[in-house]
Amino acid sequence: MTDRRATAARKPEERGTADELTRRLFHGLPRTDQRRWAGAYVTGLLTTPGRKSVRNMGLSLYDSHTAFQSLHQVVSESTWSWSAVRRELADWCRERTALHGWALGRVTVPKRGRCSAGVHRRFDPATGRTVGCQLGLGLFLLTERGALPVDWRLYLPDEWLDDPTLRRRARIPETARPGSPARLMLDLAAAADGSAAPVVAEAETVTEAAELVEGLGALGTDWILSVPGATPVSAGLHRLARTPAGRAPAGRALTAADLARQLQGSARPLGPATPEAPRLLPAQVHTAQSAAPLRMAASWAPGHRTPQRIWLTSLHGERLGEAAPLFTGHAVGTDALAGLDDCGLRDFEGRSYPGWHRHMTLVSAAYGHRLLEPARTRGTVPASTGRPAAELVGAGTSGAWAA
């Protein structure tokens, strides 16, 4: 990478932005130019107005029309390991805020054309349309300041792994193997071990719910999973007969929505007793994939019998009560996604698999700095959220989970 210190002096007003964080994250990078330009990239994501393209960031940070080339190279063409930087980022975040849980979230990144790694046609629930996109799966720390991403996986449909030409052009490593989005989320959940905090996730389909229930149970971690109403369940002591993932047993199986309607009158509030708050059903629940009994919670709109949302969880007793705020809202709130967008989440212009991972790592670092540094130094809510970030995981948390 070319050293442009003589021609690309950083503007004085940008000096010092995120310097402490970038020194911490990039001290292990083998080359001085890698450390310098990775830090500049984070600063650009934090301070450049509008779209965070490498050209815009280069012009915003430096008195040079060629600085963008180094910003592009440190992400798309460099060799540094994003995994080590993400581990450092997770440690840095946990030193500055209490951990209440881990969340598994998904991010749809619209893309034109077919050249960016992992791009495919997919239904986007947020827009109600089928779009060409990349699908990113993220591991988030759930904290009193908000949801902070610390690890990522990129979903690769079979055609990207089976076609040698596509694989070579996108620089997809041999270690990348086929796997559903749920399998990638479970891979992320496995990286969250070493903490008693529960994992929070959302299944979009019955099949995905079955895969996540089985996989999270196998990891041995506590978890809270939002599931579709059509998820087959049984109440009481008997486990459902095992069937292929997501397929209902023979005959008309009891669904989670059926059980919620039957027990609505005897469900008790889980946390503050507001009309639409989650309520805990008075029964132990089994699915075909759960070796141990589960608990089930649901929320209803006033005057309705069909639940708005349903959760299955491995938590019981006091731990279930302590985790009540984690049932509120979605695993990763819209404010967190909006804040990540403001840090350039969807602005990466490169096409390679390594480039995507390095960009997402640096976006996560920028967002972590934006949320945690103001909280630590001034006690204020970051301007990007517009409301206390504790609301992203529910207000009134009784305390952090021990590491």
Side-chain angles (χ1 to χ4, degrees):
M1 188 183 298
T2 304
D3 188 344
R4 294 186 172 83
R5 281 178 292 183
T7 59
R10 186 182 297 184
K11 295 180 180 180
E13 63 269 24
E14 307 300 351
R15 293 194 186 104
T17 300
D19 278 355
E20 179 188 348
L21 172 60
T22 56
R23 281 195 298 270
R24 169 74 175 270
L25 296 187
F26 307 130
H27 70 88
L29 270 60
R31 288 163 34 189
T32 301
D33 56 348
Q34 291 175 333
R35 296 191 293 272
R36 181 171 63 255
W37 288 106
Y41 199 100
V42 172
T43 298
L45 294 171
L46 284 165
T47 61
T48 302
R51 192 164 182 269
K52 275 67 172 179
S53 66
V54 290
R55 188 173 294 275
N56 287 346
M57 290 193 293
L59 293 174
S60 175
L61 289 178
Y62 294 94
D63 297 322
S64 167
H65 290 282
T66 59
F68 78 91
Q69 296 172 2
S70 292
L71 293 173
H72 166 79
Q73 190 165 350
V74 78
V75 168
S76 294
E77 304 299 333
S78 194
T79 58
W80 56 271
S81 167
W82 55 81
S83 298
V85 174
R86 291 174 185 176
R87 287 192 294 270
E88 205 65 70
L89 175 62
D91 290 343
W92 183 88
C93 290
R94 294 185 65 177
E95 289 165 8
R96 284 159 174 76
T97 185
L99 174 67
H100 298 294
W102 303 88
L104 302 172
R106 62 190 94 211
V107 174
T108 300
V109 183
K111 288 286 182 181
R112 294 182 179 178
R114 302 280 298 174
C115 296
S116 297
V119 70
H120 62 290
R121 300 287 293 174
R122 186 177 192 84
F123 179 76
D124 180 14
T127 62
R129 296 184 298 114
T130 298
V131 296
C133 65
Q134 294 170 311
L135 178 64
L137 294 311
L139 176 67
F140 291 72
L141 302 177
L142 294 178
T143 77
E144 58 190 5
R145 298 302 303 171
L148 302 167
V150 293
D151 203 0
W152 293 94
R153 299 292 184 270
L154 178 62
Y155 172 62
L156 297 170
D158 289 344
E159 61 263 29
W160 282 93
L161 297 171
D162 296 340
D163 187 325
T165 301
L166 287 177
R167 192 160 191 152
R168 183 178 62 255
R169 287 176 180 172
R171 291 160 48 209
I172 297 172
E174 288 301 317
T175 53
R177 294 288 184 264
S180 64
R183 176 49 51 192
L184 296 180
M185 286 193 282
L186 291 170
D187 185 39
L188 288 167
D193 61 5
S195 167
V199 173
V200 184
E202 185 170 1
E204 290 188 339
T205 67
V206 170
T207 299
E208 190 167 88
E211 192 171 356
L212 288 171
V213 167
E214 183 170 26
L216 290 169
L219 288 175
T221 186
D222 283 324
W223 50 269
I224 299 166
L225 180 64
S226 175
V227 300
T231 302
V233 298
S234 64
L237 301 178
H238 299 291
R239 181 179 178 184
L240 279 175
R242 192 167 185 83
T243 61
R247 185 181 300 171
R252 188 183 185 281
L254 181 71
T255 69
D258 292 333
L259 184 60
R261 282 190 289 267
Q262 291 177 16
L263 300 179
Q264 180 180 10
S266 53
R268 60 178 177 83
L270 186 62
T274 59
E276 297 185 24
R279 285 187 270 169
L280 186 66
L281 274 62
Q284 292 190 340
V285 174
H286 281 277
T287 74
Q289 295 76 31
S290 59
L294 308 174
R295 297 304 302 270
M296 189 169 118
S299 63
W300 289 266
H304 288 74
R305 293 193 66 243
T306 299
Q308 289 181 307
R309 296 192 69 198
I310 298 173
W311 296 265
L312 296 176
T313 180
S314 65
L315 292 164
H316 294 268
E318 290 183 2
R319 288 176 64 80
L320 181 55
E322 291 171 357
L326 300 180
F327 287 81
T328 305
H330 294 265
V332 179
T334 54
D335 281 3
L337 296 180
L340 286 165
D341 271 337
D342 193 46
C343 289
L345 177 74
R346 293 177 170 88
D347 291 339
F348 180 55
E349 298 171 314
R351 296 175 174 177
S352 72
Y353 178 93
W356 185 90
H357 273 282
R358 293 194 185 98
H359 173 78
M360 296 297 278
T361 301
L362 301 182
V363 167
S364 300
Y367 186 63
H369 181 274
R370 177 167 290 176
L371 251 64
L372 297 184
E373 285 301 303
R376 192 166 67 96
T377 59
R378 297 191 295 276
T380 59
V381 175
S384 64
T385 67
R387 60 189 177 94
E391 294 181 19
L392 297 180
V393 297
T397 295
S398 60
W401 295 82

